[in-house]
Amino acid sequence: MLYQNRYDNSELTYNDMHFIGITGGVGAGKTAILSYLESNYPCRVMLADEIAHDVMEPGRDCYRKLQELFAKDQVFEADGQIDRKRMAQVLFSDEEKRLALNNIVHPAVKQYVIDEMNRERAEQKNKVLILEAALLIEEHYDEICDELWYIYTSEKIDNIFASQLSESTYREVCREEIDNNHLPEDAFSQIDALMKARQVEKVQKRQTTEE
């Protein structure tokens, strides 16, 4: 499948809430960067993995579909919770079920993200909304995000469930690249420059003084 860069060379405008999708390989250091963004800027961070976990909880539409899909695989605990370890074992050995699960969960995650994006735009409480997702490009989040950022490092960790895209695809599709090969402060400086270019100022932290 071909993934196209939908961005041109025109300047972005930042009068409204800005929606940024962030991706990168396993071990790229995304967690530290996301934490820095959330701690220092007026933004909200959403994690696709956490959303996927939530939409699979008992009582959700996805859960009922998963009950049908895994009816014979003994992946449900006595209390109805999903045995994630057992489910991973089933998915590892059954490609058809892995694809079926993705077809159930991924659309639900995307709908949640769209709903939250619309809510955030309406409320205007945060200057920036951020979504971190391993499959950001494959799931076509460029269609709803204002732009995509790619965090990269030379460290490579194999992960069968992670994105299988090439380095060149990440660089072609994402508007910005963050080099996380050095000290955390180096990556944070890159973040500061990107946010400054987007007219997003750091949050002023309260100073405590002794009287």
Side-chain angles (χ1 to χ4, degrees):
M1 179 179 293
L2 295 176
Y3 299 95
Q4 298 181 341
N5 183 348
R6 72 180 181 89
Y7 307 115
D8 55 28
N9 294 322
S10 61
E11 293 293 328
L12 291 174
T13 57
Y14 307 103
N15 296 325
D16 197 5
M17 184 207 75
H18 198 58
F19 189 15
I20 300 171
I22 291 182
T23 191
V26 177
K30 298 186 293 294
T31 300
I33 288 176
L34 293 170
S35 178
Y36 178 80
L37 280 164
E38 199 165 33
S39 298
N40 291 275
Y41 289 96
C43 67
R44 174 190 172 191
V45 173
M46 299 189 296
L47 306 178
D49 282 348
E50 289 187 358
I51 297 170
H53 189 284
D54 289 344
V55 301
M56 293 168 65
E57 287 292 302
R60 308 292 292 268
D61 288 341
C62 279
Y63 181 83
R64 289 186 283 273
K65 295 175 183 178
L66 295 177
Q67 282 182 308
E68 296 177 8
L69 180 62
F70 295 97
K72 300 179 181 180
D73 295 299
Q74 299 180 327
V75 301
F76 297 97
E77 304 281 5
D79 61 358
Q81 293 293 323
I82 295 174
D83 183 335
R84 306 276 172 169
K85 184 176 180 180
R86 170 59 185 161
M87 178 175 283
Q89 292 172 343
V90 173
L91 297 176
F92 184 82
S93 61
D94 191 329
E95 177 68 7
E96 186 175 335
K97 281 194 174 175
R98 187 177 75 83
L99 293 174
L101 178 138
N102 288 345
N103 288 333
I104 293 171
V105 175
H106 289 178
V109 170
K110 195 167 191 177
Q111 187 58 56
Y112 175 92
V113 170
I114 291 172
D115 291 344
E116 289 301 297
M117 174 192 70
N118 290 334
R119 187 173 67 81
E120 290 284 347
R121 287 198 190 282
E123 294 180 354
Q124 290 292 312
K125 290 183 178 179
N126 294 298
K127 183 72 173 176
V128 179
L129 178 65
I130 293 173
L131 171 69
E132 185 278 323
L135 302 178
L136 197 73
I137 296 173
E138 296 92 325
E139 291 298 313
H140 303 287
Y141 278 98
D142 59 306
E143 296 174 356
I144 59 174
C145 293
D146 293 309
E147 60 177 321
L148 306 185
W149 292 4
Y150 172 48
I151 302 172
Y152 69 93
T153 179
S154 58
E155 182 178 0
K156 302 295 182 184
I157 299 176
D158 292 333
N159 184 345
I160 190 172
F161 297 114
S163 171
Q164 300 298 313
L165 296 182
S166 66
E167 191 85 4
S168 61
T169 299
Y170 281 117
R171 296 179 184 278
E172 181 180 354
V173 176
C174 296
R175 178 183 285 272
E176 304 291 353
E177 301 171 18
I178 300 165
D179 181 353
N180 202 18
N181 278 301
H182 308 289
L183 294 174
E185 290 74 17
D186 294 327
F188 297 161
S189 293
Q190 295 172 65
I191 293 296
D192 290 340
L194 291 173
M195 296 302 271
K196 183 177 181 180
R198 284 146 183 77
Q199 303 170 17
V200 181
E201 298 181 357
K202 280 190 172 182
V203 174
Q204 296 296 321
K205 297 180 179 179
R206 292 182 178 180
Q207 300 289 333
T208 57
T209 58
E210 295 183 2
E211 296 185 0

